[in-house]
Amino acid sequence: PASSRLPEAGTTNGDAVYAAPGWHNERTVAVETLGETRFARCDVHTVVTEDGKDVINDWIFLEEMPAVNVIVQTLEGHFVVFNQKKYAIPGETLSPV
């Protein structure tokens, strides 16, 4: 049987802690971290609506490390991509180089 590297809900994956501080503002009432790695963190926020009349208890909030996607266009106007299989996407996808 395959072993799981996923942490229990509300815990971290060993030393793999997301380095950025958690995001919140004046409307954030509470934050529960469901899991994190060094690349991303998934929280459930409790937030007050903009009009202040209601509270949303299950706002999923995902933070991830900054990234840049770059696509190459040849002098002839073609885009350079390659076929790639992606986790959780069936079949092949076209991905930038």
Side-chain angles (χ1 to χ4, degrees):
S3 64
S4 174
R5 297 183 318 149
L6 296 175
E8 295 293 322
T11 66
T12 62
N13 193 3
D15 293 328
V17 176
Y18 187 68
W23 189 91
H24 64 279
N25 67 15
E26 67 281 351
R27 292 179 31 216
T28 308
V29 176
V31 175
E32 177 187 358
T33 298
L34 299 180
E36 62 187 308
T37 70
R38 65 180 188 223
F39 302 108
R41 175 176 42 240
C42 182
D43 297 331
V44 175
H45 286 205
T46 300
V47 298
V48 177
T49 57
E50 289 182 16
D51 63 10
K53 295 180 180 180
D54 293 301
V55 174
I56 301 169
N57 294 308
D58 57 357
W59 192 280
I60 299 293
F61 198 86
L62 181 65
E63 297 180 69
E64 59 185 342
M65 297 301 291
V68 174
N69 289 319
V70 177
I71 189 151
V72 176
Q73 186 175 19
T74 68
L75 294 175
E76 294 80 23
H78 298 103
F79 293 101
V80 180
V81 296
F82 64 97
N83 287 327
Q84 179 180 355
K85 291 187 177 183
K86 296 275 207 168
Y87 178 70
I89 300 176
E92 290 187 344
T93 63
L94 294 177
S95 298
V97 173

